[in-house]
Amino acid sequence: MPETRTGALKRLFPDEPGFRQAQLEKAVFDDGPNGWNEVTTLPQPIRDRLGKEVPWLSYDEDSTVFMESGDGDSFKAALELGDGSCIETVLMANRRGQWTACLSTQVGCAMRCAFCATGKLGLKRSLTSDEIVDQLRFWRRFLLKRDRNERVSNIVLMGMGEPLANYDNVKTALNLILGNTDIGSTRITVSTVGIIPQLNRILDDPEWPPVRLAVSLHSADLKTRKELMPTTYDRFLDDLTEWGQRYRQKFGNRRHHVTFEYLLLKGLNDTPDHAAKLVALSQEIGQVKVNLIPYNATDSGFTGSDENRIEEFAAVLRQAGIDVTRRRSLGRDIAAACGQLAGPRKG
Ligand code: SAH
């Protein structure tokens, strides 16, 4: 895995006082400087050496592939990293002048969900905390060039990769963002397939920030979930329930609840029977929010549920008192929607 900026600072200047690290991190999120030489808070010899040996950005600005959706509501960028790996990141409008950045956490993904384009790639490697953070820096720079009043207000870790399979770097990246921007922890959502040991680790980790968590459930029926998501093991739903109960006890309040993401696939997980199973699981955990996601076409051969079916499914949940939201799908025309990120097609 490539070295981080902080790692390089410590290696090159082992005798410098500890506050240099905070200065460096602050400078990286500052909109002013365009390179190490412009970071006036650092002494000139440090700037010179960093300038020679440490990239200011972890992607190559010149080889960025950039796309804009027809309605101008979403943008996608493919960034080339130092080792030639390519990752995708997305920017979506949420309110007037406010944007949500969707960040990747790995190059490819090992989870192999049947409906997801990224899963087909397999995992190449995890991203460093800098590579995660720099996707946000990319969009902040982009907005700054467009209009000074627009800003990234929300972040979702829903790009390529499984965030909890890259636990430490994701945690470092989140803490860097929280410590150096005005984006608050309830405006950041980490989405996971539900790696139970890592979910449990979060509950006991004082350094894990109080960001929102969303579990990609997609089915509360074990057999169906196994078909859709091969990471599902026999006791998965039991363990998830237990975790959900612990999470509630520890963090449960109006702002922190377990969210389930639920992708509706025609005839597969969208029947009243499946809705009833989702209700039962949610009630066993307690306060749960369900976010229904429309299927975005990939070449995996699934079909999304019809509008009527989606509404019927939502109605069953609402009648049971479950807080249901429906996700708008943005950026489909530029293959930037959930599950469509698979890198630019070459050749
Ligand atoms: N690995 C993480 C985050 C990446 S995917 C996770 O699994 O949660 C972000 C969300 O998009 C997940 O809920 C994922 O299941 C969903 N998704 C994947 N493929 C999709 C598709 N083709 N259409 C709609 N959503 C999809």
Side-chain angles (χ1 to χ4, degrees):
M1 190 175 291
E3 187 178 39
T4 60
R5 291 180 282 263
T6 305
L9 180 78
K10 285 186 187 152
R11 176 174 58 80
L12 296 170
F13 301 98
D15 302 327
E16 281 292 320
F19 63 77
R20 292 278 177 244
Q21 181 180 332
Q23 286 179 322
L24 177 144
E25 285 165 4
K26 196 164 184 306
V28 157
F29 282 95
D30 189 346
D31 291 329
N34 279 306
W36 293 119
N37 201 35
E38 295 174 24
V39 180
T40 48
T41 48
L42 292 173
Q44 192 65 51
I46 298 190
R47 285 189 244 167
D48 288 346
R49 186 104 191 254
L50 290 176
K52 276 195 208 102
E53 299 195 28
V54 183
W56 171 247
L57 291 167
S58 48
Y59 55 86
D60 177 17
E61 276 190 298
D62 296 333
S63 47
T64 304
V65 181
F66 186 79
M67 279 185 258
E68 175 173 358
S69 67
D71 54 13
D73 259 3
S74 58
F75 300 88
K76 175 167 91 163
L79 307 179
E80 191 180 317
L81 305 176
D83 67 348
S85 295
C86 189
I87 49 162
E88 297 188 342
T89 178
V90 177
L91 187 72
M92 301 164 279
N94 56 40
R95 278 185 301 276
R96 209 178 150 69
Q98 304 228 330
W99 296 84
T100 298
C102 176
L103 313 184
S104 293
T105 56
Q106 297 185 304
V107 185
C109 185
M111 302 297 127
R112 301 202 178 273
C113 299
F115 43 79
C116 180
T118 308
K120 306 274 178 292
L121 303 172
L123 176 67
K124 186 166 174 200
R125 69 170 170 89
S126 283
L127 297 182
T128 65
S129 50
D130 287 348
E131 289 166 335
I132 298 169
V133 157
D134 284 4
Q135 298 167 61
L136 172 64
R137 286 173 77 209
F138 174 85
W139 292 121
R140 282 166 50 118
R141 295 159 73 89
F142 165 78
L143 288 176
L144 204 65
K145 275 185 218 140
R146 253 172 55 118
D147 181 340
R148 295 202 162 256
N149 293 320
E150 301 202 342
R151 60 188 287 272
V152 177
S153 64
N154 293 61
I155 293 172
V156 292
L157 298 196
M158 295 191 188
M160 302 169 100
E162 166 50 44
L164 297 190
N166 186 16
Y167 187 98
D168 290 323
N169 295 336
V170 164
K171 180 168 81 175
T172 303
L174 293 174
N175 284 325
L176 280 171
I177 292 168
L178 289 167
N180 294 287
T181 71
D182 59 357
I183 302 172
S185 57
T186 56
R187 293 191 175 268
I188 301 180
T189 301
V190 174
S191 177
T192 173
V193 292
I195 302 181
I196 302 289
Q198 303 294 61
L199 283 171
N200 282 323
R201 189 171 162 196
I202 286 174
L203 298 184
D204 300 320
D205 183 351
E207 287 167 8
W208 181 270
V211 295
R212 292 183 192 266
L213 281 174
V215 176
S216 299
L217 183 65
H218 305 327
S219 180
D221 172 69
L222 189 69
K223 186 169 163 283
T224 310
R225 197 178 192 276
K226 277 185 174 175
E227 282 163 22
L228 295 175
M229 304 172 77
T231 49
T232 312
Y233 54 93
D234 286 346
R235 271 194 54 82
F236 176 77
L237 293 172
D238 308 297
D239 289 350
L240 182 67
T241 306
E242 226 168 80
W243 171 81
Q245 290 165 344
R246 273 189 71 206
Y247 179 87
R248 265 199 71 203
Q249 274 165 13
K250 195 142 185 188
F251 296 113
N253 59 36
R254 249 171 18 88
R255 298 170 107 190
H256 285 95
H257 36 70
V258 176
T259 297
F260 285 149
E261 295 166 272
Y262 199 101
L263 173 62
L264 283 157
L265 298 168
K266 192 172 188 159
L268 264 173
N269 64 357
D270 62 352
T271 60
D273 184 38
H274 282 277
K277 286 190 170 163
L278 179 55
V279 167
L281 177 67
S282 304
Q283 288 177 340
E284 218 179 315
I285 293 176
Q287 191 192 13
V288 167
K289 213 170 155 168
V290 174
N291 190 206
L292 297 177
I293 319 182
Y295 172 66
N296 298 312
T298 66
D299 49 16
S300 53
F302 291 97
T303 311
S305 307
D306 304 332
E307 179 57 31
N308 283 349
R309 195 27 87 76
I310 297 179
E311 261 316 304
E312 275 167 34
F313 195 93
V316 175
L317 302 183
R318 284 196 192 103
Q319 269 158 25
I322 294 170
D323 189 350
V324 186
T325 49
R326 285 186 57 180
R327 182 180 295 167
R328 286 185 305 153
S329 192
L330 292 171
R332 281 180 176 179
D333 60 336
I334 53 172
C338 289
Q340 291 184 316
L341 302 182
R345 286 167 206 236
K346 291 188 178 145

